[in-house]
Amino acid sequence: MKLLLDTHIVLWAAGQPEKLSESARTLLTTPENILFFSAASIWEIVIKRGLGRDDFKVDPSRLRKMLIVHGYTELSITAEHALAVETLPLLHKDPFDRLLLAQARTEGMLLLTVDASVLQYQEFVLAA
């Protein structure tokens, strides 16, 4: 299964795995699953870190390197992804989450998330 990790799952997997549920840890360690992180998540971390958010203190450059070293695949943002945002129902307004949703839908992945608002997009999300 191809899984796109939302930003909090990326952060927790990299630095606070104890925050992940047992089912999320299982999904992340199942060899058959292909794990992706989005450039949108790195962008979100850069912005929120710059704003001084306590939950985004990680060095985004180091995080990206370590994700790649540990076998995660980086998903770039394309114009197709940006255009797909327009086709999403307006159930959630966060632009980063909407881009992640559009990427998952476009690429035939499931977005792994703990965000209740994002979980409303049932057909292409998976609760972590």
Side-chain angles (χ1 to χ4, degrees):
M1 171 172 23
K2 294 198 287 186
L3 298 172
L4 177 60
L5 310 185
D6 83 357
T7 306
H8 277 99
I9 300 295
V10 166
L11 290 168
W12 295 344
Q16 298 174 299
E18 68 279 1
K19 288 191 170 190
L20 294 168
S21 68
E22 186 174 326
S23 63
R25 283 193 297 271
T26 298
L27 287 166
L28 296 178
T29 57
T30 299
E32 296 80 29
N33 291 339
I34 304 166
L35 306 175
F36 292 83
F37 70 96
S38 173
S41 290
I42 302 301
W43 180 25
E44 180 178 12
I45 292 164
V46 167
I47 288 172
K48 291 181 178 177
R49 181 176 188 236
L51 294 172
R53 289 261 310 255
D54 286 338
D55 51 342
F56 289 87
K57 295 266 187 212
V58 64
D59 175 348
S61 179
R62 178 166 165 65
L63 173 63
R64 179 182 175 268
K65 285 180 195 170
M66 295 311 296
L67 288 166
I68 292 168
V69 164
H70 286 94
Y72 293 74
T73 301
E74 182 174 350
L75 180 60
S76 297
I77 301 167
T78 67
E80 183 180 12
H81 297 145
L83 291 167
V85 170
E86 186 175 41
T87 67
L88 293 171
L90 194 56
L91 302 174
H92 187 47
K93 294 183 181 181
D94 181 279
F96 295 107
D97 289 336
R98 289 180 60 78
L99 183 53
L100 292 172
L101 285 158
Q103 286 184 297
R105 182 186 221 179
T106 300
E107 300 297 330
M109 301 175 177
L110 291 174
L111 178 62
L112 187 61
T113 186
V114 294
D115 187 323
S117 296
V118 174
L119 288 169
Q120 295 178 86
Y121 296 87
Q122 298 171 10
E123 69 216 49
F124 42 93
V125 296
L126 187 59

